[in-house]
Amino acid sequence: MNAAPPPNRFAAGAAYIDGRYMPVGEAAIPITDWGYRRSDVTYDVVGVRDGAFFRLDDHLARFRASMNAFRFAPAETDDDIRAILHRLVAMTGLRDAYVAMDCLRGRPPAGVPYHPAYSRNYIAAFAIPWVTLLKPEQMARGAHLVIAETLRIPAGSVDPKAKNFHWADLTRGQFEAHDRGADFCILLDENGNVTEGPGFNVFAVRDGRIATPDAGVLEGLTRQSVLELCEHLGLPIEVRPVPADELREADEIFLSTTAGGVMPASRIDGRRMGNDRPGPISQRVQDAYWARRAEGWHATPVDYSLAEPAHV
């Protein structure tokens, strides 16, 4: 009688840190590294659905641009990072996965100036079961949003186009949302224009026209996908400043993010939009997004032959 195969020790997630692979629960970084002590890190997140990455090359290009913006120069090339991500998903065996890649700054070694220029940079990454910002019941009824009093960190200080862990403003805004009974906050800039929320871009619909902020935001790849979808669907869309009052008075609002795709909203600052459910344009964009994904749009199949890591 054949013995049952051993359980997959990476089923809950697999991680890579600085050349080594391990179960995600065993992953750790040195507590003295500046990546931890100073949030001196950049990152990106790519989704896997039905065994395929979505916009993998675009995510890798943005990750490299973010590394360059923060002056990180790890040993791994883009091809190395691509292979690491494929291997991590293959190790887990997951068909739907949340896959993160980070570049962290270490600590200057003894004997050199105590300056980030002398700190070693390294890559960390992990793949875990799919994560979504909204639960199914929240997605069905639409997100409840508030415009926070907390302002977004100015882009002249920390450019949101390069992904970063400077989330103190977003975290403070989320506590405002929680205190007001909402799901998410949206932050304004110093001029009173909409920027973004914690992990998502924002779209306002008014009189059949869609608008999304042009500045102070991460240029999200799901956001880019929405721009492409609107052109495909013949929906008018503008990338421009969106004043707070325009968002508060919108007919519809929807959000876009890797961890959830297109997410319609139904309330803003307590005001119910439409019938307190996702609006027709939001629903149309959401449906088109997942339909195109199911057709293989921007898909890169995971190489599951890489299940055995080189170093465990």
Side-chain angles (χ1 to χ4, degrees):
M1 183 175 181
N2 294 329
N8 181 3
R9 59 194 289 256
F10 299 104
Y16 168 96
I17 298 181
D18 203 11
R20 296 180 57 247
Y21 293 88
M22 65 212 73
V24 72
E26 298 175 12
I29 63 172
I31 197 170
T32 57
D33 277 4
W34 284 3
Y36 167 72
R37 299 210 60 79
R38 298 185 177 178
S39 295
D40 196 354
V41 55
T42 189
Y43 74 106
D44 217 290
V45 175
V46 60
V48 169
R49 188 175 179 88
D50 295 331
F53 290 100
F54 182 60
R55 305 194 80 132
L56 177 59
D57 289 345
D58 292 330
H59 280 282
L60 289 170
R62 186 175 66 182
F63 186 40
R64 181 61 62 179
S66 295
M67 287 191 280
N68 291 339
F70 288 119
R71 301 182 69 166
F72 287 107
E76 291 89 345
T77 66
D78 289 356
D79 285 342
D80 292 334
I81 298 169
R82 180 183 290 104
I84 289 165
L85 302 184
H86 274 276
R87 178 169 288 165
L88 288 172
V89 179
M91 290 165 69
T92 68
L94 293 168
R95 301 289 296 175
D96 299 314
Y98 176 100
V99 187
M101 59 199 100
D102 303 344
C103 186
L104 304 94
R105 208 176 314 274
R107 183 183 179 90
V112 304
Y114 198 65
H115 187 282
Y118 298 92
S119 297
R120 182 169 166 274
N121 312 153
Y122 60 95
I123 295 292
F126 63 86
I128 58 175
W130 176 250
V131 173
T132 183
L133 291 184
L134 286 178
K135 296 178 180 178
E137 59 270 23
Q138 293 173 307
M139 192 77 81
R141 54 102 158 134
H144 295 173
L145 311 172
V146 297
I147 296 178
E149 293 182 6
T150 303
L151 298 181
R152 191 73 170 103
I153 295 173
S157 298
V158 180
D159 187 353
K161 292 180 183 178
K163 288 178 73 71
N164 60 79
F165 285 173
H166 297 277
W167 271 50
D169 52 350
L170 294 166
T171 299
R172 183 176 174 182
Q174 276 299 83
F175 275 103
E176 289 187 48
H178 182 267
D179 292 344
R180 293 164 61 182
D183 301 315
F184 296 121
C185 66
I186 293 172
L187 271 55
L188 306 178
D189 65 17
E190 62 274 20
N191 297 315
N193 291 320
V194 174
T195 63
E196 57 192 352
F200 55 78
N201 292 112
V202 182
F203 297 80
V205 183
R206 187 74 183 271
D207 297 328
R209 303 188 66 85
I210 306 170
T212 193
D214 63 342
V217 302
L218 175 72
E219 294 180 348
L221 291 171
T222 310
R223 172 181 180 266
Q224 177 60 35
S225 300
V226 169
L227 296 176
E228 294 173 11
L229 281 172
C230 287
E231 181 179 0
H232 175 73
L233 296 170
L235 294 172
I237 187 165
E238 299 172 324
V239 181
R240 57 166 174 79
V242 178
D245 285 346
E246 181 177 346
L247 192 70
R248 289 190 177 102
E249 298 167 5
D251 299 327
E252 301 180 38
I253 298 171
F254 63 90
L255 319 172
S256 68
T257 175
T258 291
V262 176
M263 305 188 304
S266 58
R267 298 185 187 182
I268 177 70
D269 283 349
R271 181 177 73 85
R272 301 182 181 189
M273 293 174 285
N275 62 354
D276 201 24
R277 286 292 184 271
I281 291 178
S282 302
Q283 194 71 62
R284 186 179 176 194
V285 175
Q286 183 188 49
D287 291 346
Y289 174 80
W290 289 114
R292 294 289 300 277
R293 289 284 303 270
E295 294 168 357
W297 185 46
H298 293 303
T300 300
V302 174
D303 186 353
Y304 287 98
S305 71
L306 298 174
E308 291 298 323
H311 305 284
V312 177

